[in-house]
Amino acid sequence: VDAPPSVPKAPLEPQDVRDARAREAKNKFKELDAEAREVEKQAKIARDIASVAKKEAGEAKAEACETRPGGKFVCIRPFGIGY
């Protein structure tokens, strides 16, 4: 089965109009991409801060559990103590 030869469609709009539309789309993409990169940078900073806080919370819990029954590994504590 032979495929029919592809016939290029005649452009409906002049080339300069299509070029302008492509240029506008590219500029819009660049703006949105820059905004997304800024948000990603802020998210990374926030994640780093949260990771440090998590590490500090773990260290504080370990310190608080040192004198509880079971020590740092089991840490038997009453309900509602908050950690």
Side-chain angles (χ1 to χ4, degrees), residues 16-70:
D16 58 340
V17 172
R18 290 182 283 147
D19 288 344
R21 187 179 311 125
R23 187 173 25 262
E24 290 171 9
K26 180 68 173 187
N27 289 338
K28 183 177 180 180
F29 165 75
K30 285 181 179 180
E31 291 173 12
L32 293 173
D33 188 51
E35 289 177 21
R37 288 181 188 275
E38 183 62 32
V39 170
E40 289 169 350
K41 187 188 301 183
Q42 292 173 358
K44 183 182 181 330
I45 291 169
R47 172 55 45 207
D48 291 343
I49 292 169
S51 295
V52 169
K54 181 179 180 180
K55 182 179 178 185
E56 290 173 354
E59 290 171 356
K61 179 184 175 195
E63 184 179 313
C65 286
E66 283 180 354
T67 57
R68 294 224 175 254

